[in-house]
Amino acid sequence: MAVVGMAGISFVGPKEEIERVGLRLLERGNFEPMSPEIMMEGRPLGARVRSFRSNRYDALLDRLEKLWIRAGAALPRKRLEGKFSQVSFSELEARVNEILETMSSWQRETERLEEEYEVWHAMLELSNALRETGRGMKSLARVPFGGFAVGTLTRDNWRRLLETSQASPFLAMPLIEEEPRITAVVFYGSDFQEGMSKIFSSVHMRVIPIQAEDGEEEPDATRYRLEALEAKIANYREMPARYIAENRLELEKLYSLIYAKQRIYTLAQKRGELTDMTILSGWIPRIDYEDIFRMAVREGPHTMIMVEYGDTLAERGVELPTLLRNLPLIRRFQEIVRLYSLPAYNELDPTFVVALSFCLFFGFMFGDVGHGLLLVLGTWFMEKKGLMGNVFSSVLKIAGMSAIFFGLLYGSIFGSEEILTPLWISPMRDVNTLLPVSVGVGVLFLTLGICFHIQNAARHGEWGEVIFSPEGLAGLLFYWMAVAQVMAVSLGLSEITFSTNVFILLAVGLVLVMIFGNGLAKYFFHGETVDEGGVVHGFSIFHAMLNFVSNTASFVRLAAFALNHVGLSTAVFMLAQMVEHAPGGRIYHVFVLLLGQMLIVGLEGLIVFIQTLRLEYYEFFGKFYQGGGREFAPVLWEKKDSAAA
């Protein structure tokens, strides 16, 4: 039960000091930005505060990161430096633009050289192909009845072009086959030039501008030209990496500075400004306030600090974020609570009770030393292979250890109760003990849920709800009076049972108290009541009474699944014995046993897990838990890919 108390804090000071404070808050990782209007509401200067919702360093950082990516280099280490030079945004932007323009000029020159290389390479291959037929490039220019084109296209489109050539007046031949594209030459008639343009477009063929008159250069000269172009292209491609290597110190400092600015203004994304002062507001854990206050005084001597505790803000209707803090082992079960809903700020955190009860319920229904061990080992293997998350696997491993513990209590190993001596009871032999214990666990668990509801209502000052509601003291007294009566009759303790008239009188009296609870609350505590109509209210009380019965009976499933586990295991042993006398029976016997044990662990383990969640969510949470909390989301030094400034 550890919902951490929060506080709203605002820093008002010069921009340079607020940036230093923001950097230290990033280092701590315990500050979630909020709008200054929340803290300034009702204050004289509140209406004069200008708010901002943008971070212009986002685009600048993104562009700078592309520089490193373009150079094929890993991003530099992000240094969280306490002091950095106060360089303006315009100066940083100009420097980044200068570097990127230099990179872009190299990129443009590389692309130009690659296009030139592509032209001369295609021309060389075409010239070689023509020489084999005894012709030259200039002979193509003298053909009066046709034309040619050289271009590149994908292999799939090349096949489409060949298929089209079978029904059209043109000839296509490959010149250069390099994955993933093919460079080809196409010869066509002069009267089909317009049709060829459409065909080239349909197969996405990019035409290379080759002039036949330029193709009479000697092959050796062309090869020398290509080698020179290759060297130039390689040189330009290496320029970004060389530039980074030669200017690494400056570029790393620039990157760290812009990254720090981006994180600071992500932290201050909801900042406000008042004349020449900057206002930074946010949520912090209340226990961290003293440490943050000392830091702010040190980093911002001219900065004013305002703080308001969460309880005060909650009374004003402000929604506070929820931060849960539990012991490491208990913390794993926060995800079970989160699956239902995060507790609201002013609500009890049920994680501790969920951790204990989850292990109790799972072990009660799945108690077996062998199957519990298989569950632990299987979960460990899946976690090792990356098939299961760390948090969920931890819950399953703890559940498996609980199954091992209850297996020792039951004397059960792989469904057999003949090998181990039970430390408590054997489910199949002691059904008359197992059933009452499961119902008793349910009674205690439901009682705890009602007590939590009473505590929540008391924290909100809803005393009518505390005393008169079905989930309050009146409902709890009615429930326990009925439980005591049933227990006394079942155990034959007639000396402590209520007489029929006394029981009916008390029961009717408590029901009437719950029915007229709204009026009684208004009379005694002068509180506001919700008028839902007499019939509707009467049915809600009747529904609450039925829930007492159905919720209690629901815990019979603890005993039922414990018996079911033994029954399934027995069925597996029987099937294995049935195939033992068939040809190859020993192999079938082992196969049935292994398959049966895996099915029990996988299928029944999943069913028991779901049933455990049902008992937690419906029977327990239904008594007191509202949820709907918003998770505390501090801005951290490490930038998430999906972070929006």
Side-chain angles (χ1 to χ4, degrees), residues 188-251:
Y188 53 87
S190 57
D191 57 343
F192 196 62
Q193 186 167 359
E194 184 177 349
M196 288 308 307
S197 298
K198 295 179 180 179
I199 291 174
F200 290 158
S201 177
S202 68
V203 296
H204 305 287
M205 176 172 163
R206 184 172 62 83
V207 177
I208 300 173
I210 290 181
Q211 300 296 327
E213 293 79 3
D214 300 332
E216 290 301 318
E217 187 175 83
E218 289 296 322
D220 290 340
T222 304
R223 292 189 187 95
Y224 179 78
R225 184 193 295 272
L226 290 174
E227 290 175 1
L229 287 172
E230 285 178 349
K232 288 182 180 180
I233 291 170
N235 181 58
Y236 274 101
R237 284 176 177 171
E238 293 172 0
M239 278 186 176
R242 287 205 302 268
Y243 181 83
I244 286 181
E246 293 169 0
N247 301 275
R248 177 169 289 276
L249 185 60
E250 178 203 350
L251 293 175

Side-chain angles (χ1 to χ4, degrees), residues 493-512:
L493 303 176
S494 57
E495 65 275 7
I496 66 170
T497 59
F498 297 103
S499 68
T500 303
N501 292 334
V502 172
F503 178 78
I504 293 175
L505 182 63
L506 290 174
V508 171
L510 289 171
V511 170
L512 290 174

Side-chain angles (χ1 to χ4, degrees), residues 64 92 95-96 99 250-258:
L64 187 59
L92 292 173
R95 179 58 181 141
V96 171
I99 296 171
E250 178 203 350
L251 293 175
E252 285 185 350
K253 286 184 177 180
L254 179 66
Y255 179 80
S256 293
L257 175 58
I258 293 178

Side-chain angles (χ1 to χ4, degrees), residues 84-194:
F84 50 84
S85 58
Q86 295 299 326
V87 184
S88 68
F89 174 82
S90 58
E91 292 175 307
L92 292 173
E93 185 180 37
R95 179 58 181 141
V96 171
N97 288 341
E98 178 186 351
I99 296 171
L100 290 179
E101 177 55 34
T102 301
M103 294 281 188
S104 297
S105 67
W106 293 336
Q107 180 67 23
R108 289 193 297 270
E109 183 62 18
T110 301
E111 292 172 356
R112 187 193 67 79
L113 291 171
E114 287 175 342
E115 290 177 359
E116 185 178 349
Y117 179 88
E118 186 179 50
V119 170
W120 283 102
H121 191 191
M123 193 177 297
L124 176 64
E125 296 300 326
L126 179 59
S127 177
N128 290 337
L130 288 173
R131 283 192 181 93
E132 292 179 2
T133 65
R135 293 179 174 85
M137 287 286 292
K138 288 186 178 180
S139 65
L140 295 179
R142 293 194 295 268
V143 177
F145 53 82
F148 76 98
V150 178
T152 65
L153 67 171
T154 64
R155 286 193 173 273
D156 289 339
N157 286 327
W158 166 247
R159 285 192 288 269
R160 290 173 55 199
L161 182 65
L162 289 179
E163 291 172 0
T164 306
S165 68
Q166 297 176 5
S168 301
F170 69 88
L171 174 66
M173 299 175 57
L175 290 177
I176 305 169
E177 298 188 36
E178 295 178 346
E179 292 291 344
R181 301 183 69 82
I182 288 179
T183 301
V185 59
V186 178
F187 298 98
Y188 53 87
S190 57
D191 57 343
F192 196 62
Q193 186 167 359
E194 184 177 349

Side-chain angles (χ1 to χ4, degrees), residues 2 48 69 85 113 311 320 322 365 370 391 413 423 459 498:
R48 298 172 57 187
I69 295 171
S85 58
L113 291 171
D311 295 340
L320 279 80
T322 298
M365 291 187 280
V391 174
I413 178 168
L423 300 179
R459 291 172 67 177
F498 297 103

